């Protein structure tokens, strides 16, 4: 009976959602999104930070409707299925800084776990290093989890508090409609736009938003999580979420192949560099931070949509982290890691290990 | 009286870890797990059945799920 209530919670449900994302992401790329970046939560939040002027890397400035759709699609699903539960208070400031360093690690690699999967599916061999790093970082996180690490219980909160991030996303959409991109202009009203680079490449707004809403809806129902996929396998040998993540990669690989977007190799891959160690360590830092925060960047958006204020704080941490990463020269470029990227990764590991070692109170 | 594991307000994977610890301890043939999200309810149910336990009962009272699991 319980299974009937949520068909997406079953094995075929999560695989189906992986397949749908695996089809839609390469199609978004075909329709204008940057290479191997049909969906990248970290990159897209970084673009949003740029569009708002939180950093001034002028090649990555665009309010990505996919991100807005992820949150609002999840919100709709949560309300339809009576799962909207406003909650908050599980060490939000810690989650903010985990978000900051998750983003810094992701921008050293140049992608979040979603993009690592899509880069692999597009033939980018550097993604192998990233995925190995992701697994390693999550593995370290599971050691903390086994040792009793936790950020404490949440509390019920006001419904309006659960609406904060969905309203922020709706506000971004309103800004996009009020100040749309004007060809050849780097700014309209309060929003910055890119004239070149990944920020200038995007699918049409309504398609991006529609795909985002659909993925947000499906992911809320299925609890799709790229970090949880690996974490649950390492911790419990459970393959439930992993089957969805693998389905995404395999499907995206097939679709890329069919669309002529599969280009195997290490050199000259879109928005990627070939510094293997830092691809590995960047994603390892990210994986550790996601594991300590309890969800991949996509899952944090979906949780925010169902009223989880702590996940919302993590999202804001990632957006702030993107600002820091580009303003301080921490983010990589196709030329390699940024001037201060390496110390930032080391500091990030220090912060995550500090959090992991010190926050292990026994749950009463 | 079955032992109660209170995982309310905790996010994944904590409720699952606590449930598996309870199962592993081997002291009880029945456990009650309290969670307050649907994802946790699904995860705890999945973890318990994967260990060969059965779902005896799931009840919701004011936003809290009371999951009764039984050995065998």
């Amino acid at each position: 009976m319980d299974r009937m209530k949520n068909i997406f919670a079953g094995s075929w449900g999560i695989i189906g959602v992986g397949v749908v994302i695996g089809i839609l992401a390469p199609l978004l790329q075909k329709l204008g999104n940057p290479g191997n970046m049909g969906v990248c939560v970290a990159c897209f939040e970084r673009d949003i930070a740029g569009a708002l002027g939180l950093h001034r890397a002028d090649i990555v400035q665009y309010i990505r409707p996919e991100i807005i759709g992820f949150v609002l699609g999840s919100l709709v699903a949560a309300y339809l299925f009576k799962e909207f539960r406003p909650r908050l208070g599980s060490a939000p400031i810690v989650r903010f800084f985990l978000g900051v360093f998750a983003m810094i690690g992701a921008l050293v690699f140049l992608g979040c776990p979603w993009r690592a999967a899509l880069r692999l599916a597009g033939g980018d061999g550097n993604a192998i290093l990233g995925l190995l790093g992701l697994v390693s970082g999550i593995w370290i996180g599971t050691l903390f989890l086994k040792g009793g690490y936790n950020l404490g219980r949440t509390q019920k909160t006001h419904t309006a508090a659960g609406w904060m991030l969905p309203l922020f996303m709706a506000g971004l959409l309103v800004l996009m409609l009020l100040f749309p991109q004007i060809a050849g202009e780097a700014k309209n009203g309060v929003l910055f736009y890119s004239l070149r680079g990944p920020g200038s490449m995007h699918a049409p707004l309504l398609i991006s938003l529609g795909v985002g809403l659909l993925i947000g809806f499906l992911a809320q129902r299925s609890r799709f999580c790229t970090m949880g996929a690996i974490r649950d396998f390492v911790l419990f040998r459970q393959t439930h979420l992993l089957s969805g993540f693998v389905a995404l990669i395999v499907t995206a690989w097939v679709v890329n192949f069919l669309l002529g977007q599969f280009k195997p190799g290490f050199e000259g891959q879109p928005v990627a560099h070939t510094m293997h160690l830092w691809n590995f360590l960047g994603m390892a830092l990210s994986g550790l931070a996601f594991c300590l925060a309890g969800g991949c960047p996509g899952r944090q958006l979906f949780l925010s949509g169902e009223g989880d204020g702590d996940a919302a704080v993590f999202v804001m941490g990632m957006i702030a982290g993107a600002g820091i990463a580009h303003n301080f020269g921490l983010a990589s470029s196709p030329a390699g890691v940024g001037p201060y990227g390496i110390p930032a990764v080391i500091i990030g590991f220090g912060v995550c290990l500090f959090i992991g070692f010190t926050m292990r109170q026994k749950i009463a | 009286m079955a032992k109660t594991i209170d995982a309310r307000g905790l996010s994944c994977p904590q409720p699952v870890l606590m449930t598996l610890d309870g199962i592993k301890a081997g002291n009880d043939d029945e456990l009650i797990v309290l969670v307050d999200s649907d994802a946790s309810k699904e995860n705890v149910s999945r973890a318990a059945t994967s260990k060969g336990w059965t779902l005896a009962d799931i009840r919701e009272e004011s936003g809290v799920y009371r999951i009764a699991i039984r050995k065998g």
Side-chain angles (χ1 to χ4, degrees):
Chain A
M1 195 179 75
D2 193 48
R3 281 284 154 87
M4 295 276 285
K5 190 191 161 202
N6 188 1
I7 52 164
F8 293 107
S11 303
W12 290 111
I14 188 83
I15 290 172
V17 172
V19 168
V20 170
I21 299 171
I23 293 169
L24 293 175
L27 281 176
L28 280 174
Q29 187 188 325
K30 189 80 183 167
L31 291 169
N33 279 7
N36 295 340
M37 208 190 279
V39 175
C40 171
V41 177
C43 315
F44 287 3
E45 288 174 351
R46 180 268 318 274
D47 293 350
I48 288 175
L52 297 174
L54 301 178
H55 66 69
R56 301 307 318 282
D58 64 4
I59 57 168
V60 282
Q61 303 174 146
Y62 183 63
I63 302 280
R64 294 277 178 186
E66 290 89 348
I67 298 295
I68 297 169
F70 276 18
V71 176
L72 299 184
S74 166
L75 177 85
V76 170
Y79 265 96
L80 271 180
F81 292 91
K82 298 190 171 56
E83 290 186 10
F84 186 80
R85 288 166 192 261
R87 53 197 190 270
L88 184 68
S90 171
I93 186 67
V94 176
R95 292 174 188 273
F96 180 86
F97 283 106
L98 287 172
V100 167
F101 285 104
M103 179 60 97
I104 290 172
L107 292 179
V108 167
F109 165 66
L110 289 174
C112 67
W114 290 57
R115 182 163 192 250
L118 293 172
R119 281 174 60 173
L120 184 69
D124 179 349
N126 303 294
I128 297 169
L129 280 302
L131 285 166
L132 288 174
L134 179 69
V135 172
S136 307
I138 294 171
W139 173 73
I140 297 170
T142 63
L143 298 181
F144 286 120
L145 289 168
K146 283 182 190 167
Y149 164 83
N150 74 85
L151 289 179
R153 294 180 199 271
T154 57
Q155 310 281 324
K156 280 185 192 171
T157 183
H158 304 287
T159 300
W163 271 85
M164 281 294 133
L165 199 80
L167 284 172
F168 173 65
M169 290 294 160
L172 291 180
L173 184 60
V174 170
L175 286 181
M176 272 196 102
L177 298 174
L178 285 177
F179 305 113
Q181 188 165 19
I182 300 168
E185 296 286 333
K187 200 174 180 204
N188 183 11
V190 301
L191 294 183
F192 294 93
Y193 287 95
S194 294
L195 297 177
R196 61 192 176 88
S200 68
M201 302 165 74
H202 48 81
L205 189 155
L206 282 179
I207 292 177
S208 293
L209 183 64
V211 168
L213 285 167
L214 178 64
I215 293 177
F217 187 98
L218 294 175
Q220 194 283 333
R221 300 311 301 140
S222 63
R223 334 297 181 198
F224 185 88
C225 178
T226 60
M227 185 284 298
I230 295 162
R231 178 200 64 200
D232 287 357
F233 183 74
V234 174
L235 261 184
F236 316 123
R237 292 288 176 265
Q238 246 192 40
T239 53
H240 175 74
L241 289 172
L242 186 62
S243 61
F245 192 40
V246 171
L248 185 165
I249 296 174
V250 173
T251 310
W253 175 71
V254 171
V255 175
N256 274 330
F257 205 78
L258 294 175
L259 295 174
Q261 294 176 163
F262 181 75
K263 297 190 174 72
F266 283 84
E267 302 287 338
Q269 292 288 344
V271 201
H273 63 78
T274 55
M275 296 174 74
H276 300 321
L277 178 66
W278 297 101
N279 278 327
F280 177 89
L281 288 176
M283 202 78 273
L285 170 59
S286 243
L288 174 57
F290 292 135
C291 191
L292 294 177
C296 79
R299 179 81 181 135
Q300 304 282 355
L301 291 170
F302 310 135
L303 285 169
S304 303
E306 54 181 76
D308 185 337
D310 294 314
V313 171
F314 183 92
V315 171
M316 297 312 287
M318 282 192 73
I319 293 173
I324 295 167
H326 280 285
N327 287 337
F328 291 6
L330 318 180
S332 299
S333 70
V337 295
Y340 298 101
I342 291 170
V345 169
I346 295 167
I347 291 168
F349 271 110
V351 171
C352 287
L353 293 176
F354 170 71
I355 290 170
F357 277 116
T358 54
M359 299 181 198
R360 49 172 70 203
Q361 98 233 26
K362 282 282 167 202
I363 302 156
Chain B
M1 177 87 175
K3 185 183 162 191
T4 299
I5 294 169
D6 184 0
R8 285 175 297 174
L10 294 171
S11 51
C12 283
Q14 248 85 40
V16 173
L17 282 168
M18 291 165 78
T19 305
L20 293 179
D21 280 349
I23 289 175
K24 230 183 272 172
N27 303 324
D28 306 273
D29 289 338
E30 189 177 344
L31 291 168
I32 308 291
V33 187
L34 302 178
V35 296
D36 55 5
S37 82
D38 290 82
S40 294
K41 179 192 67 175
E42 291 161 9
N43 292 341
V44 166
S45 306
R46 201 178 290 123
T49 49
S50 77
K51 293 286 165 194
W53 285 46
T54 48
L55 297 176
D57 185 39
I58 299 180
R59 250 177 254 182
E60 191 192 354
E61 276 172 48
S62 54
V64 175
Y65 290 104
R66 181 184 175 281
I67 309 167
I69 55 173
R70 206 168 283 154
K71 195 174 185 174

